[in-house]
Amino acid sequence: PDLIYFDPALVDFALANQGLSLKQFAAKTNLAFNTLRGLHRRQGLHPSSALKIASTLGLQVSDLFAPWDRRYRPPALAHGPA
């Protein structure tokens, strides 16, 4: 399968905003703790796992792409006042 790579810092930030630990999030998503730990080791995720993580966090999969994922696009730069 075409694996998806998430940026661990973005996932951690989203978890912190919701006050969840990785173990709590694993239970909430019914994903194995090791699957979530794997993303911190730059291991790819199956698309269904990536979708479950993103949707549970209230985000799009593309919001969490790591720079080393081939689908990653840097955020657009904000323009100053017109």
Side-chain angles (χ1 to χ4, degrees):
D2 194 16
L3 297 178
I4 294 174
Y5 298 88
F6 278 171
D7 186 328
L10 295 175
V11 173
D12 287 346
F13 183 76
L15 289 174
N17 279 338
Q18 294 192 15
L20 294 170
S21 70
L22 207 55
K23 283 188 178 184
Q24 291 168 326
F25 189 68
K28 186 173 182 175
T29 58
N30 291 319
L31 290 171
F33 178 72
N34 286 339
T35 298
L36 298 174
R37 290 270 321 250
L39 71 88
H40 286 86
R41 296 184 186 112
R42 294 188 173 198
Q43 294 174 351
L45 298 161
H46 288 277
S48 60
S49 297
L51 180 60
K52 188 179 279 192
I53 291 167
S55 62
T56 303
L57 291 171
L59 300 169
Q60 299 292 316
V61 170
S62 59
D63 294 333
L64 298 171
F65 283 150
W68 53 90
D69 188 291
R70 64 178 180 78
R71 293 162 290 252
Y72 173 79
R73 299 288 177 267
L77 294 176
H79 296 286

